[in-house]
Amino acid sequence: LAVVLASIAGVLAALAALLFATAPYFYLFALEPRSRAFITRRHALPPNPELERGRRWLEPRAQHMWIRSQEGLLLHACRVEPPEPAALWVICLHGYTGRCSDMAGQAQQYSAMGYGALLPDLRGHGSSQGEIGMGWPDRRDLLLWIRALHERYPAARIALHGVSMGAATVLMAAGEDLPKNVVGIAADCGYSSPRAIIRKVLKDRHLPVALYP
């Protein structure tokens, strides 16, 4: 019995050592912006004509905005004025490893309906500083973007539209004390839990899901 227990203890110790040794790698792989070049090279998506059309529409119209997060991070967004002076605005949030121009297609659709659009780079993405936060710290950044938009356009009525991690961000922000000028939220395919999305990312990257039980 002592030999069996010793063997089990050895296996558990080896697994613990493996998890300890690989944890920094998984952190860098998933949440550190500098690792995204590796992700892009290894798992590049095929060209998306619709996405490229949206980016071509956005490029001549985009005006750049910058704010500071509560921690002092410099955060970036593209702003598209409404086609005519209007009080309707939408803040569109991209997904994991994306950037603000990923939401250009949505911004174009909203513009056709008379909206102005603000497209932030979530922290750790695009031109925004910081580490990827999976939506939790980004919810506070979203409140700051709402405030910045309201200061520039006091009569603005603002809708929030997020996709994937951006959807999780707008849902998390919905639990905060949102200003009364936020009049609607659209959340498209947000993740159900951090555990679920981490396991999905491991599977998509052909890594053993058992590493995150």
mmCIF file of all heavy atoms in Angstrom, residues 16 21 31 44-45 83 106 111 128 146 157 177 180 192 197 205:
data_model
loop_
_atom_site.group_PDB
_atom_site.id
_atom_site.type_symbol
_atom_site.label_atom_id
_atom_site.label_comp_id
_atom_site.label_asym_id
_atom_site.label_seq_id
_atom_site.Cartn_x
_atom_site.Cartn_y
_atom_site.Cartn_z
ATOM 1 N N ALA A 16 1.476 18.348 -11.079
ATOM 2 C CA ALA A 16 1.531 19.699 -10.516
ATOM 3 C C ALA A 16 2.716 20.468 -11.080
ATOM 4 O O ALA A 16 2.612 21.658 -11.411
ATOM 5 C CB ALA A 16 1.614 19.625 -8.992
ATOM 6 N N ALA A 21 4.848 24.562 -14.639
ATOM 7 C CA ALA A 21 5.818 24.926 -15.673
ATOM 8 C C ALA A 21 5.147 25.509 -16.914
ATOM 9 O O ALA A 21 5.709 26.381 -17.585
ATOM 10 C CB ALA A 21 6.650 23.706 -16.060
ATOM 11 N N LEU A 31 -3.264 35.762 -23.147
ATOM 12 C CA LEU A 31 -3.586 37.089 -22.640
ATOM 13 C C LEU A 31 -2.524 38.150 -22.858
ATOM 14 O O LEU A 31 -2.793 39.321 -22.621
ATOM 15 C CB LEU A 31 -3.894 37.013 -21.133
ATOM 16 C CG LEU A 31 -5.043 36.090 -20.736
ATOM 17 C CD1 LEU A 31 -5.223 36.092 -19.236
ATOM 18 C CD2 LEU A 31 -6.336 36.533 -21.410
ATOM 19 N N ALA A 44 -3.919 31.830 -38.658
ATOM 20 C CA ALA A 44 -4.484 32.917 -39.451
ATOM 21 C C ALA A 44 -5.793 32.470 -40.100
ATOM 22 O O ALA A 44 -5.903 31.353 -40.609
ATOM 23 C CB ALA A 44 -3.490 33.350 -40.519
ATOM 24 N N LEU A 45 -6.791 33.361 -40.067
ATOM 25 C CA LEU A 45 -8.071 33.064 -40.684
ATOM 26 C C LEU A 45 -7.998 33.364 -42.177
ATOM 27 O O LEU A 45 -7.220 34.205 -42.620
ATOM 28 C CB LEU A 45 -9.161 33.914 -40.035
ATOM 29 C CG LEU A 45 -9.435 33.629 -38.559
ATOM 30 C CD1 LEU A 45 -10.451 34.639 -38.021
ATOM 31 C CD2 LEU A 45 -9.948 32.214 -38.366
ATOM 32 N N PRO A 83 -24.257 60.327 -40.530
ATOM 33 C CA PRO A 83 -24.371 60.966 -41.851
ATOM 34 C C PRO A 83 -25.001 62.343 -41.782
ATOM 35 O O PRO A 83 -24.713 63.206 -42.600
ATOM 36 C CB PRO A 83 -25.229 59.971 -42.647
ATOM 37 C CG PRO A 83 -25.891 59.110 -41.616
ATOM 38 C CD PRO A 83 -24.970 59.058 -40.447
ATOM 39 N N GLN A 106 -20.517 46.430 -39.088
ATOM 40 C CA GLN A 106 -21.634 46.815 -38.229
ATOM 41 C C GLN A 106 -21.798 48.330 -38.193
ATOM 42 O O GLN A 106 -22.916 48.854 -38.247
ATOM 43 C CB GLN A 106 -21.427 46.278 -36.809
ATOM 44 C CG GLN A 106 -21.597 44.776 -36.678
ATOM 45 C CD GLN A 106 -20.335 43.998 -36.990
ATOM 46 O OE1 GLN A 106 -19.401 44.510 -37.623
ATOM 47 N NE2 GLN A 106 -20.268 42.756 -36.540
ATOM 48 N N SER A 111 -24.582 53.278 -39.604
ATOM 49 C CA SER A 111 -24.504 54.575 -40.267
ATOM 50 C C SER A 111 -25.636 54.751 -41.274
ATOM 51 O O SER A 111 -26.208 55.846 -41.402
ATOM 52 C CB SER A 111 -23.144 54.717 -40.965
ATOM 53 O OG SER A 111 -23.031 55.953 -41.637
ATOM 54 N N SER A 128 -4.538 49.944 -28.462
ATOM 55 C CA SER A 128 -4.749 50.143 -27.028
ATOM 56 C C SER A 128 -3.710 49.388 -26.210
ATOM 57 O O SER A 128 -3.331 48.258 -26.544
ATOM 58 C CB SER A 128 -6.152 49.672 -26.613
ATOM 59 O OG SER A 128 -7.145 50.536 -27.129
ATOM 60 N N ILE A 146 -18.246 55.607 -22.831
ATOM 61 C CA ILE A 146 -19.599 56.187 -22.787
ATOM 62 C C ILE A 146 -19.524 57.626 -22.283
ATOM 63 O O ILE A 146 -20.147 58.535 -22.842
ATOM 64 C CB ILE A 146 -20.516 55.335 -21.892
ATOM 65 C CG1 ILE A 146 -20.757 53.966 -22.531
ATOM 66 C CG2 ILE A 146 -21.845 56.054 -21.647
ATOM 67 C CD1 ILE A 146 -21.444 52.966 -21.599
ATOM 68 N N ARG A 157 -27.926 59.553 -27.427
ATOM 69 C CA ARG A 157 -28.509 58.321 -26.897
ATOM 70 C C ARG A 157 -27.669 57.174 -27.462
ATOM 71 O O ARG A 157 -27.479 57.083 -28.671
ATOM 72 C CB ARG A 157 -29.976 58.182 -27.296
ATOM 73 C CG ARG A 157 -30.890 59.174 -26.574
ATOM 74 C CD ARG A 157 -32.326 59.001 -26.998
ATOM 75 N NE ARG A 157 -32.517 59.367 -28.396
ATOM 76 C CZ ARG A 157 -33.471 58.870 -29.176
ATOM 77 N NH1 ARG A 157 -34.299 57.949 -28.711
ATOM 78 N NH2 ARG A 157 -33.588 59.271 -30.440
ATOM 79 N N ASP A 177 -23.494 50.554 -13.047
ATOM 80 C CA ASP A 177 -24.470 51.652 -13.010
ATOM 81 C C ASP A 177 -24.342 52.450 -14.309
ATOM 82 O O ASP A 177 -23.643 53.460 -14.363
ATOM 83 C CB ASP A 177 -24.200 52.537 -11.788
ATOM 84 C CG ASP A 177 -25.283 53.597 -11.608
ATOM 85 O OD1 ASP A 177 -26.361 53.445 -12.219
ATOM 86 O OD2 ASP A 177 -25.038 54.568 -10.876
ATOM 87 N N LYS A 180 -28.120 56.940 -17.891
ATOM 88 C CA LYS A 180 -29.457 56.818 -18.446
ATOM 89 C C LYS A 180 -29.483 57.010 -19.960
ATOM 90 O O LYS A 180 -30.469 56.626 -20.618
ATOM 91 C CB LYS A 180 -30.385 57.828 -17.777
ATOM 92 C CG LYS A 180 -30.643 57.520 -16.300
ATOM 93 C CD LYS A 180 -31.612 58.514 -15.689
ATOM 94 C CE LYS A 180 -31.868 58.175 -14.226
ATOM 95 N NZ LYS A 180 -32.804 59.134 -13.583
ATOM 96 N N SER A 192 -19.972 31.860 -22.424
ATOM 97 C CA SER A 192 -20.817 31.553 -21.271
ATOM 98 C C SER A 192 -20.071 31.659 -19.953
ATOM 99 O O SER A 192 -20.664 31.976 -18.921
ATOM 100 C CB SER A 192 -21.424 30.146 -21.413
ATOM 101 O OG SER A 192 -20.392 29.181 -21.593
ATOM 102 N N ILE A 197 -14.604 29.260 -22.301
ATOM 103 C CA ILE A 197 -13.890 29.834 -23.448
ATOM 104 C C ILE A 197 -12.419 29.442 -23.426
ATOM 105 O O ILE A 197 -11.807 29.235 -24.483
ATOM 106 C CB ILE A 197 -14.062 31.366 -23.484
ATOM 107 C CG1 ILE A 197 -13.618 31.918 -24.848
ATOM 108 C CG2 ILE A 197 -13.326 32.049 -22.364
ATOM 109 C CD1 ILE A 197 -14.400 31.415 -26.011
ATOM 110 N N ARG A 205 -6.600 25.380 -30.456
ATOM 111 C CA ARG A 205 -5.163 25.469 -30.689
ATOM 112 C C ARG A 205 -4.510 24.089 -30.642
ATOM 113 O O ARG A 205 -3.281 23.965 -30.615
ATOM 114 C CB ARG A 205 -4.483 26.353 -29.646
ATOM 115 C CG ARG A 205 -5.074 27.746 -29.465
ATOM 116 C CD ARG A 205 -5.164 28.533 -30.755
ATOM 117 N NE ARG A 205 -5.576 29.908 -30.487
ATOM 118 C CZ ARG A 205 -6.232 30.680 -31.336
ATOM 119 N NH1 ARG A 205 -6.550 30.211 -32.511
ATOM 120 N NH2 ARG A 205 -6.563 31.908 -31.029
#
